[in-house]
Amino acid sequence: MSAAAETPAPDDLEAAADQAIVACGGDARQAVKALLVANGFLEAQVEDLRASVSAGYSRGRFDVPRDRKDWYD
Protein backbone atom coordinates (compact mmCIF):
# COMPACT_ATOMS: atom_id res chain seq x y z
CA MET A 1 0.00 0.00 0.00
CA SER A 2 1.47 3.33 -0.98
CA ALA A 3 1.62 6.38 1.23
CA ALA A 4 -0.25 8.38 -1.41
CA ALA A 5 -3.27 6.09 -1.05
CA GLU A 6 -3.43 6.87 2.67
CA THR A 7 -2.91 10.63 2.46
CA PRO A 8 -5.92 12.44 3.95
CA ALA A 9 -7.58 15.37 2.23
CA PRO A 10 -6.14 18.82 3.05
CA ASP A 11 -9.28 19.74 5.01
CA ASP A 12 -8.90 16.59 7.11
CA LEU A 13 -5.27 17.48 7.82
CA GLU A 14 -6.25 20.96 8.96
CA ALA A 15 -8.94 19.55 11.25
CA ALA A 16 -6.53 16.96 12.68
CA ALA A 17 -3.87 19.62 13.29
CA ASP A 18 -6.41 21.84 15.03
CA GLN A 19 -7.53 18.91 17.21
CA ALA A 20 -3.95 18.10 18.19
CA ILE A 21 -3.25 21.70 19.16
CA VAL A 22 -6.50 21.97 21.15
CA ALA A 23 -5.70 18.68 22.93
CA CYS A 24 -2.38 20.21 24.03
CA GLY A 25 -3.97 23.35 25.45
CA GLY A 26 -3.32 25.48 22.38
CA ASP A 27 0.45 24.97 22.47
CA ALA A 28 1.62 23.97 18.99
CA ARG A 29 5.08 22.98 20.25
CA GLN A 30 3.57 20.54 22.76
CA ALA A 31 1.33 19.16 20.01
CA VAL A 32 4.34 18.49 17.78
CA LYS A 33 6.15 16.76 20.64
CA ALA A 34 3.09 14.59 21.37
CA LEU A 35 2.81 13.64 17.72
CA LEU A 36 6.50 12.72 17.58
CA VAL A 37 6.09 10.45 20.60
CA ALA A 38 3.01 8.83 19.03
CA ASN A 39 4.87 8.35 15.74
CA GLY A 40 7.77 6.68 17.53
CA PHE A 41 5.35 4.34 19.27
CA LEU A 42 3.73 3.40 15.94
CA GLU A 43 7.13 2.82 14.32
CA ALA A 44 8.06 0.47 17.16
CA GLN A 45 4.81 -1.43 16.64
CA VAL A 46 5.54 -1.79 12.92
CA GLU A 47 8.98 -3.20 13.67
CA ASP A 48 7.52 -5.69 16.15
CA LEU A 49 4.95 -6.80 13.58
CA ARG A 50 7.57 -7.14 10.85
CA ALA A 51 9.67 -9.31 13.15
CA SER A 52 6.70 -11.56 13.91
CA VAL A 53 5.84 -12.29 10.25
CA SER A 54 7.75 -15.21 8.80
CA ALA A 55 10.09 -14.49 5.89
CA GLY A 56 8.47 -17.17 3.75
CA TYR A 57 4.99 -15.78 4.25
CA SER A 58 6.04 -12.21 3.50
CA ARG A 59 7.77 -13.34 0.29
CA GLY A 60 4.72 -15.24 -0.89
CA ARG A 61 6.27 -18.70 -0.59
CA PHE A 62 3.25 -20.14 1.20
CA ASP A 63 0.08 -20.79 -0.72
CA VAL A 64 -2.62 -19.10 1.35
CA PRO A 65 -6.12 -20.08 0.24
CA ARG A 66 -8.14 -17.10 -0.94
CA ASP A 67 -11.49 -18.63 0.02
CA ARG A 68 -11.10 -19.80 3.59
CA LYS A 69 -14.51 -21.51 3.62
CA ASP A 70 -13.17 -24.19 1.28
CA TRP A 71 -9.95 -24.44 3.29
CA TYR A 72 -11.77 -25.71 6.40
CA ASP A 73 -13.70 -28.44 4.56
Side-chain angles (χ1 to χ4, degrees), residues 13-27:
L13 286 174
E14 289 294 325
D18 290 340
Q19 287 176 351
I21 293 170
V22 168
C24 291
D27 187 351

Side-chain angles (χ1 to χ4, degrees), residues 47-69:
E47 288 304 314
D48 288 344
L49 291 171
R50 280 190 184 145
S52 68
V53 174
S54 74
Y57 182 78
S58 64
R59 291 183 185 142
R61 291 186 181 170
F62 296 109
D63 184 28
V64 178
R66 296 288 180 204
D67 187 3
R68 290 187 153 310
K69 290 182 277 186

